[in-house]
Amino acid sequence: MFGLVGGLVLLIILTLRGWNLFISAPICALFVAITAQLPIFVGDMNFVESYMTGFSGFVASWFFMFLLGSIFGKFMEDTGAADSVAEWIITRLGKKQAVLAVVLACAILTYGGVSVFVVAFSVYPMALSLFKDANLPRRFIPAALAFGSVTFTMTSAGSPEIQNWIPIEYLGTSPYAAWEVSLVVAVIMFVLGYWWLTKMISHAVNKGESFESRVGDPTLDERSLPHPITGFLPLVVVLALSFFYHDSLGKMALIVALSGGVLALMAINWKFFKDMQEALGQATTGALIAIGNTAAVVGFGSVARVTPAFETAVAAMTSIPGNELVGAAIAVSVIAGLTGSASGGQAIALPEVGPHYLDQGVSPEQLHRVVSISSGALDSLPHNGYVVTTIRAICNEKHSDAYWAVGAVTVVVPVIGLAIAIALFNFF
């Protein structure tokens, strides 16, 4: 148990220190294997075989989804369609609603299938301009971007993001599982999160904080943008195809949906491409990095899963007295939090907790929604890849300045939403 917990803590520390996950995850997995006295190179459940089984298995299952999602997002960016959609929303709301405009722009793009990383890159320049016009502290921009991307949209019913699709493989459900409860929870999360975020910003403004310009701030691209409808239509295509084919194709419907979105985007906005080949190259590289980082964490989890300590931990979490959905939520939340990955946490936890709770008669639809929402809560701790990228690389802020608002709207609010979802499943 010391080795398992120590390996997870070490992974968090190395990630916070900026280590590459392709290096830190195998090192931490090796630490877990040695302390658990697992064979390293030969023998049953040896370290190398266990790690690469988890790594390659995740890539084999989700490569095309990551690739097509990255291409779709990059094409939205390269043609200016993402900027056009975001600008349309922002123009309608005005600078007095700067925070709401940023949140809604991110939410629409995310729910339409655009990668959360691409959304952050696309919306940030406009968010910066809006916060500057409204004279709001720029350290809250990461929270606005994250709230619109990885909370009430990413894990909601119907979302094309993989955090809503991974449970399908293990539970035999659909991306619209328990949509009624999901809708209620999403609305509550949006209202609560937006209220809290604006309160934090107002408090900071009342204390004298304001916008501060910096050398090197990005400026909005002045090029001619396509009509906003040409950005909305591909998003509709993705959602429509995933809806029509999810019953017959299962998770493969996501490949069809994203492919349809890419083709629709190419057909509608062909003349607005700046450089399609460069966009494809960047999208491919981005997809490989994204799935590789996640797979590296899944590989770590695969090694941890074959240790006696992991079996003990899972047994403890799944034997928590009371409601089964609570136990499933705790198990997925803890694993997603420790690995800093919602999708990685699901891929590690579901093979263990899925069959356990299905055998106990838990509704697959309810379990799907609880797993999805819970994976998007504690995963947003400081070492999460999206959090680090958004705060440091995109917004050029310090964790000490920006993370607390991010943590409030991406950790606390989803945990509250998760509690509400479980309550609704149990009392209605």
Side-chain angles (χ1 to χ4, degrees), residues 145-178:
L145 296 174
F147 177 58
S149 301
V150 301
T151 56
F152 61 94
T153 51
M154 184 180 76
T155 60
S156 293
S159 172
E161 303 296 332
I162 65 168
Q163 290 80 3
N164 182 48
W165 284 72
I166 290 178
I168 296 173
E169 178 180 357
Y170 301 95
L171 304 177
T173 49
S174 82
Y176 297 90

mmCIF file of all heavy atoms in Angstrom, residues 145-178:
data_model
loop_
_atom_site.group_PDB
_atom_site.id
_atom_site.type_symbol
_atom_site.label_atom_id
_atom_site.label_comp_id
_atom_site.label_asym_id
_atom_site.label_seq_id
_atom_site.Cartn_x
_atom_site.Cartn_y
_atom_site.Cartn_z
ATOM 1 N N LEU A 145 -12.472 29.777 -18.838
ATOM 2 C CA LEU A 145 -12.243 28.811 -19.916
ATOM 3 C C LEU A 145 -12.534 27.389 -19.443
ATOM 4 O O LEU A 145 -13.217 26.614 -20.132
ATOM 5 C CB LEU A 145 -10.802 28.910 -20.418
ATOM 6 C CG LEU A 145 -10.364 30.213 -21.080
ATOM 7 C CD1 LEU A 145 -8.864 30.180 -21.372
ATOM 8 C CD2 LEU A 145 -11.140 30.464 -22.362
ATOM 9 N N ALA A 146 -12.018 27.039 -18.269
ATOM 10 C CA ALA A 146 -12.181 25.675 -17.756
ATOM 11 C C ALA A 146 -13.630 25.385 -17.395
ATOM 12 O O ALA A 146 -14.143 24.294 -17.682
ATOM 13 C CB ALA A 146 -11.282 25.468 -16.538
ATOM 14 N N PHE A 147 -14.307 26.358 -16.793
ATOM 15 C CA PHE A 147 -15.699 26.146 -16.394
ATOM 16 C C PHE A 147 -16.585 25.852 -17.602
ATOM 17 O O PHE A 147 -17.435 24.963 -17.571
ATOM 18 C CB PHE A 147 -16.223 27.362 -15.636
ATOM 19 C CG PHE A 147 -17.670 27.264 -15.244
ATOM 20 C CD1 PHE A 147 -18.118 26.216 -14.449
ATOM 21 C CD2 PHE A 147 -18.589 28.212 -15.667
ATOM 22 C CE1 PHE A 147 -19.455 26.107 -14.093
ATOM 23 C CE2 PHE A 147 -19.927 28.119 -15.314
ATOM 24 C CZ PHE A 147 -20.360 27.065 -14.524
ATOM 25 N N GLY A 148 -16.373 26.570 -18.690
ATOM 26 C CA GLY A 148 -17.174 26.336 -19.883
ATOM 27 C C GLY A 148 -16.828 25.062 -20.619
ATOM 28 O O GLY A 148 -17.640 24.564 -21.415
ATOM 29 N N SER A 149 -15.652 24.504 -20.346
ATOM 30 C CA SER A 149 -15.177 23.361 -21.128
ATOM 31 C C SER A 149 -15.278 22.020 -20.423
ATOM 32 O O SER A 149 -15.670 21.027 -21.048
ATOM 33 C CB SER A 149 -13.708 23.595 -21.539
ATOM 34 O OG SER A 149 -13.563 24.762 -22.301
ATOM 35 N N VAL A 150 -14.907 21.936 -19.151
ATOM 36 C CA VAL A 150 -14.714 20.625 -18.522
ATOM 37 C C VAL A 150 -15.670 20.348 -17.372
ATOM 38 O O VAL A 150 -15.407 19.484 -16.550
ATOM 39 C CB VAL A 150 -13.251 20.468 -18.028
ATOM 40 C CG1 VAL A 150 -12.282 20.613 -19.174
ATOM 41 C CG2 VAL A 150 -12.918 21.490 -16.933
ATOM 42 N N THR A 151 -16.789 21.066 -17.316
ATOM 43 C CA THR A 151 -17.729 20.828 -16.216
ATOM 44 C C THR A 151 -19.090 20.382 -16.743
ATOM 45 O O THR A 151 -19.299 19.210 -17.009
ATOM 46 C CB THR A 151 -17.868 22.098 -15.344
ATOM 47 O OG1 THR A 151 -18.269 23.205 -16.166
ATOM 48 C CG2 THR A 151 -16.558 22.449 -14.674
ATOM 49 N N PHE A 152 -20.018 21.324 -16.923
ATOM 50 C CA PHE A 152 -21.401 20.963 -17.258
ATOM 51 C C PHE A 152 -21.570 20.509 -18.704
ATOM 52 O O PHE A 152 -22.637 20.040 -19.083
ATOM 53 C CB PHE A 152 -22.347 22.134 -16.962
ATOM 54 C CG PHE A 152 -22.057 23.380 -17.758
ATOM 55 C CD1 PHE A 152 -22.711 23.625 -18.947
ATOM 56 C CD2 PHE A 152 -21.131 24.302 -17.302
ATOM 57 C CE1 PHE A 152 -22.458 24.772 -19.685
ATOM 58 C CE2 PHE A 152 -20.865 25.464 -18.029
ATOM 59 C CZ PHE A 152 -21.531 25.694 -19.214
ATOM 60 N N THR A 153 -20.538 20.635 -19.534
ATOM 61 C CA THR A 153 -20.637 20.168 -20.928
ATOM 62 C C THR A 153 -19.917 18.844 -21.150
ATOM 63 O O THR A 153 -20.465 17.928 -21.761
ATOM 64 C CB THR A 153 -20.057 21.216 -21.892
ATOM 65 O OG1 THR A 153 -18.739 21.586 -21.445
ATOM 66 C CG2 THR A 153 -20.918 22.453 -21.927
ATOM 67 N N MET A 154 -18.695 18.725 -20.660
ATOM 68 C CA MET A 154 -17.838 17.580 -20.975
ATOM 69 C C MET A 154 -18.434 16.241 -20.562
ATOM 70 O O MET A 154 -18.325 15.250 -21.289
ATOM 71 C CB MET A 154 -16.464 17.762 -20.313
ATOM 72 C CG MET A 154 -15.447 16.675 -20.640
ATOM 73 S SD MET A 154 -13.851 16.934 -19.838
ATOM 74 C CE MET A 154 -14.231 16.447 -18.146
ATOM 75 N N THR A 155 -19.108 16.205 -19.417
ATOM 76 C CA THR A 155 -19.596 14.926 -18.897
ATOM 77 C C THR A 155 -21.112 14.804 -18.951
ATOM 78 O O THR A 155 -21.685 13.918 -18.329
ATOM 79 C CB THR A 155 -19.130 14.732 -17.436
ATOM 80 O OG1 THR A 155 -19.645 15.804 -16.630
ATOM 81 C CG2 THR A 155 -17.603 14.751 -17.345
ATOM 82 N N SER A 156 -21.768 15.680 -19.718
ATOM 83 C CA SER A 156 -23.226 15.642 -19.805
ATOM 84 C C SER A 156 -23.700 14.668 -20.873
ATOM 85 O O SER A 156 -22.959 14.320 -21.801
ATOM 86 C CB SER A 156 -23.775 17.042 -20.106
ATOM 87 O OG SER A 156 -23.553 17.916 -19.029
ATOM 88 N N ALA A 157 -24.948 14.245 -20.763
ATOM 89 C CA ALA A 157 -25.537 13.332 -21.733
ATOM 90 C C ALA A 157 -25.504 13.952 -23.126
ATOM 91 O O ALA A 157 -25.831 15.123 -23.302
ATOM 92 C CB ALA A 157 -26.976 13.012 -21.345
ATOM 93 N N GLY A 158 -25.089 13.152 -24.109
ATOM 94 C CA GLY A 158 -25.028 13.612 -25.474
ATOM 95 C C GLY A 158 -23.719 14.240 -25.879
ATOM 96 O O GLY A 158 -23.461 14.447 -27.069
ATOM 97 N N SER A 159 -22.865 14.550 -24.928
ATOM 98 C CA SER A 159 -21.586 15.185 -25.248
ATOM 99 C C SER A 159 -20.704 14.245 -26.069
ATOM 100 O O SER A 159 -20.570 13.066 -25.739
ATOM 101 C CB SER A 159 -20.847 15.567 -23.962
ATOM 102 O OG SER A 159 -19.539 16.017 -24.253
ATOM 103 N N PRO A 160 -20.074 14.749 -27.143
ATOM 104 C CA PRO A 160 -19.173 13.904 -27.934
ATOM 105 C C PRO A 160 -17.795 13.723 -27.303
ATOM 106 O O PRO A 160 -16.956 13.022 -27.865
ATOM 107 C CB PRO A 160 -19.043 14.677 -29.264
ATOM 108 C CG PRO A 160 -20.087 15.732 -29.234
ATOM 109 C CD PRO A 160 -20.316 16.033 -27.783
ATOM 110 N N GLU A 161 -17.528 14.382 -26.164
ATOM 111 C CA GLU A 161 -16.237 14.213 -25.505
ATOM 112 C C GLU A 161 -16.122 12.787 -24.970
ATOM 113 O O GLU A 161 -17.104 12.187 -24.536
ATOM 114 C CB GLU A 161 -16.094 15.226 -24.359
ATOM 115 C CG GLU A 161 -16.235 16.690 -24.780
ATOM 116 C CD GLU A 161 -15.135 17.154 -25.732
ATOM 117 O OE1 GLU A 161 -14.024 16.595 -25.675
ATOM 118 O OE2 GLU A 161 -15.386 18.079 -26.524
ATOM 119 N N ILE A 162 -14.898 12.246 -25.000
ATOM 120 C CA ILE A 162 -14.724 10.815 -24.677
ATOM 121 C C ILE A 162 -15.068 10.495 -23.229
ATOM 122 O O ILE A 162 -15.355 9.339 -22.909
ATOM 123 C CB ILE A 162 -13.295 10.330 -24.990
ATOM 124 C CG1 ILE A 162 -12.263 11.027 -24.099
ATOM 125 C CG2 ILE A 162 -12.961 10.515 -26.449
ATOM 126 C CD1 ILE A 162 -10.891 10.383 -24.175
ATOM 127 N N GLN A 163 -15.058 11.505 -22.359
ATOM 128 C CA GLN A 163 -15.428 11.244 -20.958
ATOM 129 C C GLN A 163 -16.876 10.785 -20.838
ATOM 130 O O GLN A 163 -17.247 10.182 -19.835
ATOM 131 C CB GLN A 163 -15.210 12.509 -20.113
ATOM 132 C CG GLN A 163 -13.763 12.893 -19.890
ATOM 133 C CD GLN A 163 -13.151 13.616 -21.086
ATOM 134 O OE1 GLN A 163 -13.824 13.892 -22.079
ATOM 135 N NE2 GLN A 163 -11.876 13.938 -20.997
ATOM 136 N N ASN A 164 -17.679 11.060 -21.846
ATOM 137 C CA ASN A 164 -19.060 10.599 -21.860
ATOM 138 C C ASN A 164 -19.224 9.314 -22.661
ATOM 139 O O ASN A 164 -20.292 8.709 -22.630
ATOM 140 C CB ASN A 164 -19.973 11.692 -22.439
ATOM 141 C CG ASN A 164 -21.436 11.306 -22.451
ATOM 142 O OD1 ASN A 164 -21.964 10.827 -21.451
ATOM 143 N ND2 ASN A 164 -22.098 11.479 -23.590
ATOM 144 N N TRP A 165 -18.176 8.892 -23.363
ATOM 145 C CA TRP A 165 -18.283 7.718 -24.233
ATOM 146 C C TRP A 165 -17.552 6.488 -23.712
ATOM 147 O O TRP A 165 -17.892 5.359 -24.063
ATOM 148 C CB TRP A 165 -17.770 8.063 -25.640
ATOM 149 C CG TRP A 165 -18.747 8.875 -26.423
ATOM 150 C CD1 TRP A 165 -19.064 10.197 -26.223
ATOM 151 C CD2 TRP A 165 -19.560 8.434 -27.516
ATOM 152 N NE1 TRP A 165 -20.013 10.598 -27.118
ATOM 153 C CE2 TRP A 165 -20.336 9.543 -27.932
ATOM 154 C CE3 TRP A 165 -19.707 7.222 -28.184
ATOM 155 C CZ2 TRP A 165 -21.249 9.464 -28.985
ATOM 156 C CZ3 TRP A 165 -20.607 7.152 -29.234
ATOM 157 C CH2 TRP A 165 -21.374 8.260 -29.624
ATOM 158 N N ILE A 166 -16.548 6.672 -22.879
ATOM 159 C CA ILE A 166 -15.798 5.522 -22.364
ATOM 160 C C ILE A 166 -16.693 4.526 -21.626
ATOM 161 O O ILE A 166 -16.552 3.310 -21.809
ATOM 162 C CB ILE A 166 -14.632 6.000 -21.460
ATOM 163 C CG1 ILE A 166 -13.553 6.678 -22.311
ATOM 164 C CG2 ILE A 166 -14.017 4.825 -20.685
ATOM 165 C CD1 ILE A 166 -12.380 7.224 -21.514
ATOM 166 N N PRO A 167 -17.657 4.971 -20.789
ATOM 167 C CA PRO A 167 -18.501 3.990 -20.086
ATOM 168 C C PRO A 167 -19.316 3.088 -21.006
ATOM 169 O O PRO A 167 -19.732 1.997 -20.585
ATOM 170 C CB PRO A 167 -19.421 4.869 -19.227
ATOM 171 C CG PRO A 167 -18.673 6.138 -19.034
ATOM 172 C CD PRO A 167 -17.937 6.346 -20.320
ATOM 173 N N ILE A 168 -19.577 3.513 -22.241
ATOM 174 C CA ILE A 168 -20.390 2.710 -23.165
ATOM 175 C C ILE A 168 -19.781 1.327 -23.357
ATOM 176 O O ILE A 168 -20.485 0.310 -23.364
ATOM 177 C CB ILE A 168 -20.525 3.428 -24.520
ATOM 178 C CG1 ILE A 168 -21.277 4.754 -24.346
ATOM 179 C CG2 ILE A 168 -21.226 2.536 -25.543
ATOM 180 C CD1 ILE A 168 -21.314 5.607 -25.598
ATOM 181 N N GLU A 169 -18.460 1.282 -23.505
ATOM 182 C CA GLU A 169 -17.760 0.017 -23.758
ATOM 183 C C GLU A 169 -17.924 -0.968 -22.609
ATOM 184 O O GLU A 169 -18.019 -2.179 -22.826
ATOM 185 C CB GLU A 169 -16.277 0.305 -24.000
ATOM 186 C CG GLU A 169 -15.425 -0.923 -24.239
ATOM 187 C CD GLU A 169 -13.964 -0.574 -24.474
ATOM 188 O OE1 GLU A 169 -13.632 0.631 -24.506
ATOM 189 O OE2 GLU A 169 -13.156 -1.506 -24.614
ATOM 190 N N TYR A 170 -17.974 -0.454 -21.388
ATOM 191 C CA TYR A 170 -18.002 -1.325 -20.215
ATOM 192 C C TYR A 170 -19.412 -1.580 -19.684
ATOM 193 O O TYR A 170 -19.644 -2.587 -19.010
ATOM 194 C CB TYR A 170 -17.151 -0.715 -19.095
ATOM 195 C CG TYR A 170 -15.709 -0.509 -19.479
ATOM 196 C CD1 TYR A 170 -15.268 0.721 -19.959
ATOM 197 C CD2 TYR A 170 -14.787 -1.543 -19.396
ATOM 198 C CE1 TYR A 170 -13.944 0.919 -20.325
ATOM 199 C CE2 TYR A 170 -13.462 -1.361 -19.762
ATOM 200 C CZ TYR A 170 -13.045 -0.127 -20.222
ATOM 201 O OH TYR A 170 -11.745 0.057 -20.600
ATOM 202 N N LEU A 171 -20.346 -0.673 -19.977
ATOM 203 C CA LEU A 171 -21.680 -0.772 -19.385
ATOM 204 C C LEU A 171 -22.764 -1.064 -20.408
ATOM 205 O O LEU A 171 -23.913 -1.326 -20.033
ATOM 206 C CB LEU A 171 -22.021 0.533 -18.643
ATOM 207 C CG LEU A 171 -21.016 0.975 -17.561
ATOM 208 C CD1 LEU A 171 -21.438 2.302 -16.954
ATOM 209 C CD2 LEU A 171 -20.874 -0.087 -16.485
ATOM 210 N N GLY A 172 -22.427 -1.010 -21.695
ATOM 211 C CA GLY A 172 -23.412 -1.290 -22.732
ATOM 212 C C GLY A 172 -24.519 -0.257 -22.797
ATOM 213 O O GLY A 172 -25.667 -0.573 -23.128
ATOM 214 N N THR A 173 -24.182 1.003 -22.503
ATOM 215 C CA THR A 173 -25.165 2.080 -22.481
ATOM 216 C C THR A 173 -25.049 2.929 -23.741
ATOM 217 O O THR A 173 -24.448 2.510 -24.732
ATOM 218 C CB THR A 173 -24.960 2.948 -21.232
ATOM 219 O OG1 THR A 173 -23.569 3.297 -21.137
ATOM 220 C CG2 THR A 173 -25.353 2.192 -19.982
ATOM 221 N N SER A 174 -25.609 4.117 -23.712
ATOM 222 C CA SER A 174 -25.507 5.060 -24.828
ATOM 223 C C SER A 174 -25.000 6.392 -24.285
ATOM 224 O O SER A 174 -25.035 6.635 -23.069
ATOM 225 C CB SER A 174 -26.875 5.258 -25.496
ATOM 226 O OG SER A 174 -27.645 6.200 -24.774
ATOM 227 N N PRO A 175 -24.547 7.302 -25.163
ATOM 228 C CA PRO A 175 -24.064 8.606 -24.677
ATOM 229 C C PRO A 175 -25.175 9.461 -24.075
ATOM 230 O O PRO A 175 -24.897 10.484 -23.461
ATOM 231 C CB PRO A 175 -23.480 9.262 -25.936
ATOM 232 C CG PRO A 175 -24.127 8.561 -27.074
ATOM 233 C CD PRO A 175 -24.340 7.152 -26.612
ATOM 234 N N TYR A 176 -26.423 9.029 -24.252
ATOM 235 C CA TYR A 176 -27.551 9.777 -23.703
ATOM 236 C C TYR A 176 -28.086 9.135 -22.420
ATOM 237 O O TYR A 176 -29.205 9.426 -21.993
ATOM 238 C CB TYR A 176 -28.672 9.882 -24.740
ATOM 239 C CG TYR A 176 -28.240 10.649 -25.968
ATOM 240 C CD1 TYR A 176 -27.667 9.983 -27.047
ATOM 241 C CD2 TYR A 176 -28.365 12.024 -26.036
ATOM 242 C CE1 TYR A 176 -27.239 10.675 -28.169
ATOM 243 C CE2 TYR A 176 -27.946 12.733 -27.150
ATOM 244 C CZ TYR A 176 -27.374 12.053 -28.217
ATOM 245 O OH TYR A 176 -26.952 12.758 -29.317
ATOM 246 N N ALA A 177 -27.280 8.301 -21.799
ATOM 247 C CA ALA A 177 -27.692 7.597 -20.586
ATOM 248 C C ALA A 177 -28.148 8.588 -19.513
ATOM 249 O O ALA A 177 -27.463 9.564 -19.219
ATOM 250 C CB ALA A 177 -26.541 6.743 -20.051
ATOM 251 N N ALA A 178 -29.316 8.304 -18.941
ATOM 252 C CA ALA A 178 -29.877 9.107 -17.848
ATOM 253 C C ALA A 178 -29.877 10.598 -18.191
ATOM 254 O O ALA A 178 -29.496 11.444 -17.375
ATOM 255 C CB ALA A 178 -29.094 8.855 -16.559
#
